[in-house]
Amino acid sequence: MKNIPPILETPKPLHFPDLAAMAAFSLPLHSSFTPSPFKPQLFRHLQRLKLAPHARPPVLSCGSNAAAVTGPTGNEVVVNGIPPDYYADGGSVQLPPSLQRELMPNHVAVIMDGNRRWAGSRNFPIVFGYEAGFRAFKRLIELACNWGIGTLTVFAFSSENWCRPKAETDLLMGLFERILRFELEHFMRENIRISLIGDATKLPKQLQSLLVDAVEATQNNSRLHLIVAANYSGRSDVVQACRKIAFKVKDGLIDPNDINEYLVERELETSCTDFPHPDLLIRTSGELRMSNFLLWQLAYTELYFTNALWPDFGESEFLEALCSFQQRQRRYGGNL
């Protein structure tokens, strides 16, 4: 494995006692994704598992309520009585009895943390953690659509994440590109609108082009507004809003005395949505901080922290977060 970046290597050989353990992650070799420089490494892992090169690797949807396991021969095992392709085929999920429709948040923001720790705790290469995290991300989108949440903002990549090893940031950029390239048709079919917040100019050129296409193609969709924060900084968002206002003052378009919260919010990047202030923020992996995410917008947001690592965040975890939100009394500084 001399040609594999050290950040992606496995510290010791993988051992899987049974199919369930093997199914705790997904290998992208059987997918329709474009060739990746990391696939030779994944192929070697298949060889270690003594799977034929043409065999279909096992897949398990991430989260505690995973839908189904697909074995190497293609045989499907139904889990919890839910057919494996139920959601993919447009199946509709009724709102769980523990949730009240009138108390559902309009806007949920998520800091998807713990992919690397998930992989490390299993002695997997980091790439497996991000692949598993992507499956949890897809599941969250499905649930948000089915449960009537209007806006979902996910913290995909912060401006501080560039300090990570280049092999890892390249992996993440490649994963973003794959998601956009191969999920856009699904977003269109499910009536999902995509917006980007963050400084896209520092992203790879090809990724920038795909983002522009995705935003334009989905701009009229209305079932769910998916906002992806990539190369995003909450502080920078406030700074750029102030800079825009300063130019308008300089050009005589507004008077300094007229500057108020409304004018600032109108210049923030979340002005792309009808609900710029998240009602609920979820952060996974047990960390108790904002990490420079939506600093202005979270002023009166309800915060929910869970110890679950992001790839393990599934339906039951999301339901628990929403139930916690619905049990709170939001006063906004008042005495109600």
Side-chain angles (χ1 to χ4, degrees):
M1 301 178 65
K2 294 182 179 180
N3 296 326
I4 302 300
I7 189 69
L8 299 175
E9 290 188 1
T10 304
K12 57 185 179 180
L14 303 178
H15 300 285
F16 297 97
D18 52 32
L19 178 61
M22 290 171 62
F25 66 96
S26 67
L27 299 175
L29 288 176
H30 67 284
S31 71
S32 58
F33 293 153
T34 53
S36 161
F38 305 107
K39 285 187 178 177
Q41 181 199 23
L42 300 180
F43 182 82
R44 280 190 283 274
H45 279 294
L46 278 180
Q47 291 179 317
R48 289 183 187 179
L49 299 176
K50 300 186 185 301
L51 293 176
H54 61 276
R56 185 180 182 185
V59 175
L60 175 65
S61 298
C62 296
S64 60
N65 288 336
V69 174
T70 302
T73 61
N75 296 325
E76 295 173 332
V77 181
V78 176
V79 178
N80 297 333
I82 303 175
D85 292 330
Y86 181 75
Y87 299 104
D89 290 343
S92 175
V93 176
Q94 297 294 325
L95 197 65
S98 55
L99 293 179
Q100 301 180 56
R101 177 69 65 186
E102 64 274 14
L103 297 180
M104 290 295 288
N106 292 312
H107 184 172
V108 175
V110 183
I111 300 177
M112 306 179 294
D113 195 17
N115 294 312
R116 297 195 296 173
R117 273 172 280 175
W118 185 91
S121 67
R122 292 161 173 76
N123 292 321
F124 291 164
I126 287 177
V127 60
F128 286 12
Y130 287 120
E131 290 282 356
F134 168 55
R135 293 186 177 278
F137 168 64
K138 288 185 64 176
R139 180 71 175 123
L140 181 67
I141 292 174
E142 292 168 353
L143 292 171
C145 285
N146 291 334
W147 291 353
I149 294 170
T151 301
L152 176 66
T153 299
V154 294
F155 204 5
F157 190 85
S158 76
S159 57
E160 290 85 4
N161 287 154
W162 292 112
C163 67
R164 294 182 179 180
K166 187 176 185 302
E168 185 175 348
T169 58
D170 287 347
L171 167 67
L172 280 168
M173 295 301 110
L175 182 59
F176 293 162
E177 183 177 330
R178 285 161 47 185
I179 292 172
L180 284 173
R181 189 180 300 277
F182 296 103
E183 294 297 321
L184 183 55
E185 182 179 346
H186 171 74
F187 292 149
M188 291 297 296
R189 184 171 61 249
E190 295 299 322
N191 198 21
I192 298 172
R193 177 187 173 192
I194 302 172
S195 291
L196 175 74
I197 59 175
D199 184 4
T201 63
K202 295 185 179 180
L203 302 177
K205 296 296 184 183
Q206 189 168 358
L207 178 56
Q208 291 183 41
S209 178
L210 287 171
L211 283 167
V212 170
D213 292 342
V215 170
E216 182 178 356
T218 63
Q219 61 183 336
N220 295 321
N221 293 348
S222 58
R223 185 182 184 192
L224 173 70
H225 191 176
L226 174 62
I227 302 176
V228 180
N231 193 29
Y232 177 83
S233 160
R235 289 176 176 175
S236 296
D237 193 5
V238 175
V239 169
Q240 66 84 27
C242 293
R243 185 179 296 116
K244 289 180 179 178
I245 293 174
F247 279 118
K248 291 181 178 180
V249 171
K250 179 182 177 181
D251 294 338
L253 299 177
I254 59 174
D255 186 273
N257 294 323
D258 293 331
I259 298 175
N260 53 29
E261 291 185 9
Y262 170 75
L263 285 178
V264 175
E265 290 182 356
R266 196 168 63 181
E267 300 298 343
L268 293 172
E269 295 192 73
T270 45
S271 62
C272 63
T273 176
D274 293 333
F275 305 102
H277 306 130
D279 299 297
L280 171 66
L281 170 74
I282 300 171
R283 176 160 190 163
T284 59
S285 84
E287 302 295 346
L288 306 178
R289 56 179 179 269
M290 297 296 96
S291 295
N292 199 12
F293 184 48
L294 300 177
L295 297 182
W296 176 287
Q297 297 88 335
L298 295 178
Y300 278 101
T301 298
E302 297 295 324
L303 309 180
Y304 180 85
F305 301 98
T306 174
N307 290 325
L309 300 177
W310 175 245
D312 293 326
F313 190 88
E315 181 174 344
S316 64
E317 289 78 13
F318 192 31
L319 179 60
E320 184 177 348
L322 293 173
C323 286
S324 174
F325 170 81
Q326 294 196 347
Q327 293 167 6
R328 304 181 189 185
Q329 188 174 15
R330 307 185 72 189
R331 297 185 178 89
Y332 299 99
N335 295 320
L336 299 178

